[in-house]
Amino acid sequence: MAHMAITVGFDLDMTLIDSRPGIHACYQALSERTGTYIDADLTVTRLGPPLAQELANWFPPEEVETVADVYREMYPTIAIAATPALPGAREAIAAVREAGGRAIVVTAKYEPNAKLHLAHLGIEPDAVIGDLWAERKAEALREHDAGVYVGDHVGDIRGARAAGALSVAVATGPCSPEELRAAGADVVFTDLTRFPGWFSDYRSPRA
């Protein structure tokens, strides 16, 4: 009996990459450019939701869309080189691919910038879908027939559950293992280094 082939979705920020240094620097630069105070230290403790949701804490509603465009324009030159892969990220993607599966990235990040991060780090998923958050991530997960979704935020768990996918959570982002379990994660790891071993067992045929 053959191993089952499966599509696995991964979140990006704080799941595959430690985006805190780059985002911190970008918010500092945005603050300088706009003359508006932004607590960059605070912003990087709550990564996950869309950019506009964070900017709404610092700018009036009518300015958020324009400021978001400025942030996205600045982002490649400030944030990409400053952002490392998290432990186990490359190995997790490789484990899926080596098993004959497909590895996709589904993220709330602006899609062109998400692709820049992955290219810079030499991580090559089968597809990258951006600009989706929480339950809306289920759109891409269903489209690609993903059976597993891996993320670090309770919003990722909601997306997995909305898609009918198994929710694997890593406590490398703003949510503790207890929060992730309480939100309904099926599997919780401290980081991605445990994923390849787990995935090998998960994809094995059951008797």
Side-chain angles (χ1 to χ4, degrees):
M1 185 176 178
H3 291 304
M4 60 180 182
I6 190 169
T7 295
V8 178
F10 292 87
D11 176 48
L12 184 64
D13 287 355
M14 303 312 300
T15 298
L16 293 174
I17 64 173
D18 184 351
S19 49
R20 291 172 297 183
I23 289 177
H24 189 280
C26 204
Y27 273 124
Q28 286 185 317
L30 183 67
S31 181
E32 292 171 8
R33 181 161 169 177
T34 61
T36 298
Y37 173 72
I38 301 171
D39 187 340
D41 291 339
L42 178 59
T43 65
V44 297
T45 67
R46 52 192 186 198
L47 299 180
L51 173 63
Q53 187 170 318
E54 181 60 50
L55 292 177
N57 294 308
W58 313 104
F59 296 89
E62 65 274 13
E63 294 181 17
V64 167
E65 186 175 344
T66 299
V67 174
D69 287 341
V70 173
Y71 176 97
R72 293 185 184 110
E73 179 185 324
M74 299 168 63
Y75 192 94
T77 56
I78 296 172
I80 300 300
T83 299
L86 281 166
R90 292 182 177 86
E91 293 82 357
I93 297 286
V96 176
R97 302 286 292 279
E98 289 166 5
R102 297 179 72 247
I104 65 172
V105 172
V106 182
T107 174
K109 188 179 287 298
Y110 180 55
E111 188 173 303
N113 288 341
K115 290 179 176 178
L116 288 175
H117 274 299
L118 293 162
H120 176 74
L121 294 169
I123 297 173
E124 299 180 356
D126 293 282
V128 180
I129 306 95
D131 305 294
L132 296 176
W133 164 240
E135 287 83 358
R136 287 201 60 213
K137 292 189 173 191
E139 298 170 17
L141 297 174
R142 286 193 297 263
E143 180 182 347
H144 289 268
D145 196 26
V148 176
Y149 185 58
V150 185
D152 66 282
H153 198 283
V154 295
D156 299 322
I157 298 169
R158 290 176 4 226
R161 294 178 74 84
L166 189 84
S167 172
V168 176
V170 287
T172 43
C175 302
S176 68
E178 293 74 24
E179 289 176 281
L180 296 168
R181 291 189 188 94
D186 297 295
V187 180
V188 178
F189 297 134
T190 53
D191 60 33
L192 277 177
T193 60
R194 291 183 59 195
F195 178 85
W198 171 85
F199 186 67
S200 178
D201 291 338
Y202 174 74
R203 72 184 180 85
S204 296
R206 273 61 169 180

